[in-house]
Amino acid sequence: MTASPGSEYLAVLVYIAVALAIGILAVVVGAALGPKKPGRAKLMPYESGNDPAGEVKRFPVHFYAVAMLFIIFDVEVAFLWPYAVSAGSLGIAGFVGLLIFTVLLFVGFVYEWWKGVMRWR
Amino acid sequence: MTDPLWMVGIKAFLVVFGLLTAFAYMTLIERRLLARFQVRWGPNRVGPMGLLQPLADAIKSILKEDIVPTKADKVVFVLAPVIAITFALVGFGLIPFGPKGAFFGFDPWVINLDVGILYLFAVSEMAVYGIFLAGWASNSKYSLLGSLRSSAALISYELALGMSLLAPVMLVGSLNLQDIVEWQDKHVWLILPMFPAFVLFTIASMAEAARTPFDLPEAEQELVGGYSTEYASIKWALFQMAEYVHLITASALIPTIYLGGWKMPGFIPDIPYLWMFLKIALFLFFFIWIRATWFRLRYDQLMRFGWGRLFPAALVWFLVVAFYVALNGGKA
């Protein structure tokens, strides 16, 4: 495994700064150039020519459910990364521990699937 | 030894500009190829073989009126495309294009992290913010619903993406992309032992880049334009750009992890850059081909496929490989 000195992380900051600068520059140039003739109709939200009928207040609960499941299983994956990197040295005992952990979470997954969280109606 | 920071800055600049040019020509190549698939010519009027078409498109979109709808949340509305493009651009610099010092004495990558793959995941999760904030800030039904659908699909496939990468990481024992390329050079291209993971990863990254058959965010017939409905001018272009940069990054990541990166096996000489560019082109062609020939999934099918098939399949494959590695004590 190659060792990453701290300067690599400074490089990440430089990289992000460059990308951010390009993004901001693009938006500034885009805003500066071009005609500027705003009008009431032009600035209305898109509604196929109709006046917009109210704001969006609620959306299906499915999206919350998906987000919550994602958090749970992403935490699972976050626990699996360290195992994946050191799998060789952990041996069979490590594998049994891994198996118990994943089976527990998989039971949760099967329950969720059986309850029909993913059944979009 | 790492490169000095000024060199990192220059390389970051080059990569960002390279990606933006690649995006522009990618749109042209995609249109031309789609046209060839459908037995017609693509754009061939602006410049020889249509080569100036991306330039004309860019000038047009910069000179267009930049609209911020009255009902939109002004700050977030402007910020969202910047977030989208920034976090699309910062993933690519990890990809190694050659050995140390292959870039005029400097390294042919911008950053080289021990936790490279985790960094890539963090960055691609940030892309969801750009999409969701865009839909929310627009304050329009279509945008909000489009962004919700896009971000739900993205995070669902993100999960399968992470799961499918665990298996090759376990074999290599490192999250560093250079180490993964070296391992493949020493042993075998990971596509051979890890073929199921390769297939799962490719499918999931197609969904991540919102490509057909998973391109619901831009299902024009369903939700107008998805999260970018209210955007005009360069801000809209930035979202398109981010999407294509994600696609290019995915097309670079798949060969890096599964097809030996910039190295070739056996007697074929390892030429830095060349093999990598060819492999990227191969996958880009493949993705365009899929787009030309496949239908789009319905949204509920998309979610069921991601959670019910891709994710369990990746989990099972991970356990199989984990068992194998545990038995062999990491000797692979």
Side-chain angles (χ1 to χ4, degrees), chain A residues 107-119:
Chain A
V107 168
F109 178 78
V110 170
Y111 176 72
E112 163 264 310
W113 190 258
W114 172 66
K115 275 295 210 183
V117 176
M118 284 301 145
R119 228 175 282 142

Side-chain angles (χ1 to χ4, degrees), chain B residues 55-74:
Chain B
L55 198 66
D57 287 340
I59 291 171
K60 186 192 90 170
S61 84
I62 288 176
L63 291 180
K64 278 206 144 199
E65 181 169 2
D66 200 8
I67 296 171
V68 179
T70 22
K71 295 188 112 188
D73 184 309
K74 302 282 184 300

Side-chain angles (χ1 to χ4, degrees), chain B residues 176-187:
Chain B
N176 181 304
L177 288 180
Q178 259 91 258
D179 290 352
I180 295 176
V181 172
E182 290 296 332
W183 191 93
Q184 293 179 89
D185 193 42
K186 245 181 277 157
H187 298 83

Side-chain angles (χ1 to χ4, degrees), chain A residues 2 8 15 42-43 46-47, chain B residues 2 65 89 93 114 141 230:
Chain A
T2 55
E8 276 303 336
Y15 190 16
K42 194 188 276 177
L43 296 184
Y46 178 83
E47 289 267 0
Chain B
T2 46
E65 181 169 2
L89 289 171
D114 262 0
K141 295 183 198 59
E230 301 289 332

Side-chain angles (χ1 to χ4, degrees), chain B residues 305-323:
Chain B
F305 179 70
W307 283 92
R309 305 283 180 275
L310 228 47
F311 178 65
L315 185 67
V316 167
W317 180 247
F318 165 69
L319 289 178
V320 168
V321 177
F323 185 58

Side-chain angles (χ1 to χ4, degrees), chain B:
Chain B
M1 191 201 78
T2 46
D3 289 343
L5 279 186
W6 59 268
M7 193 57 207
V8 172
I10 290 174
K11 282 192 296 188
F13 189 76
L14 286 177
V15 164
V16 166
F17 258 79
L19 277 176
L20 296 188
T21 318
F23 146 74
Y25 279 91
M26 178 68 199
T27 58
L28 175 70
I29 291 166
E30 174 160 31
R31 288 166 73 185
R32 299 273 304 192
L33 274 176
L34 283 178
R36 296 310 297 150
F37 280 122
Q38 297 162 358
V39 202
R40 58 186 171 88
W41 300 104
N44 59 358
R45 293 299 143 127
V46 190
M49 300 192 308
L51 281 175
L52 294 180
Q53 182 73 44
L55 198 66
D57 287 340
I59 291 171
K60 186 192 90 170
S61 84
I62 288 176
L63 291 180
K64 278 206 144 199
E65 181 169 2
D66 200 8
I67 296 171
V68 179
T70 22
K71 295 188 112 188
D73 184 309
K74 302 282 184 300
V75 178
V76 183
F77 188 83
V78 175
L79 216 56
V82 178
I83 293 176
I85 190 66
T86 303
F87 287 100
L89 289 171
V90 293
F92 196 81
L94 276 173
I95 313 276
F97 278 83
K100 252 180 155 1
F103 182 74
F104 306 112
F106 297 100
D107 295 340
W109 52 75
V110 184
I111 45 177
N112 171 27
L113 298 178
D114 262 0
V115 290
I117 288 175
L118 289 185
Y119 171 82
L120 280 172
F121 274 102
V123 162
S124 73
E125 308 260 356
M126 289 300 286
V128 181
Y129 277 97
I131 288 173
F132 184 76
L133 288 177
W136 178 81
S138 299
N139 210 350
S140 138
K141 295 183 198 59
Y142 295 115
S143 300
L144 184 64
L145 278 176
S147 74
L148 277 171
R149 279 167 45 146
S150 304
S151 30
L154 281 183
I155 59 174
S156 302
Y157 281 82
E158 185 89 47
L159 212 53
L161 207 66
M163 262 296 178
S164 62
L165 258 187
L166 283 167
V169 164
M170 207 149 38
L171 223 49
V172 177
S174 169
L175 293 171
N176 181 304
L177 288 180
Q178 259 91 258
D179 290 352
I180 295 176
V181 172
E182 290 296 332
W183 191 93
Q184 293 179 89
D185 193 42
K186 245 181 277 157
H187 298 83
V188 60
W189 280 11
L190 275 169
I191 187 175
L192 292 176
M194 289 288 135
F195 190 71
F198 165 75
V199 172
L200 294 170
F201 186 78
T202 308
I203 295 175
S205 50
M206 259 192 272
E208 276 299 295
R211 296 292 295 186
T212 334
F214 311 105
D215 63 338
L216 286 144
E218 43 180 309
E220 305 91 348
Q221 305 88 340
E222 285 181 43
L223 270 179
V224 195
Y227 54 87
S228 52
T229 304
E230 301 289 332
Y231 282 87
S233 173
I234 198 82
K235 296 208 199 74
W236 178 82
L238 284 181
F239 283 117
Q240 292 294 308
M241 225 182 263
E243 215 172 284
Y244 274 94
V245 171
H246 279 303
L247 183 71
I248 295 171
T249 308
S251 311
L253 201 56
I254 298 171
T256 304
I257 295 171
Y258 294 100
L259 289 177
W262 52 275
K263 292 193 171 179
M264 289 297 265
F267 55 90
I268 309 168
D270 297 333
I271 307 170
Y273 299 102
L274 177 71
W275 295 127
M276 198 56 200
F277 282 128
L278 284 179
K279 287 171 187 175
I280 294 175
L282 180 77
F283 275 93
L284 287 176
F285 177 81
F286 172 73
F287 286 139
I288 295 171
W289 186 13
I290 295 272
R291 175 171 177 185
T293 47
W294 268 32
F295 49 87
R296 180 182 287 149
L297 292 180
R298 218 171 51 215
Y299 189 69
D300 59 325
Q301 294 170 334
L302 173 93
M303 297 303 278
R304 281 182 74 84
F305 179 70
W307 283 92
R309 305 283 180 275
L310 228 47
F311 178 65
L315 185 67
V316 167
W317 180 247
F318 165 69
L319 289 178
V320 168
V321 177
F323 185 58
Y324 172 81
V325 173
L327 277 187
N328 286 273
K331 285 192 291 289

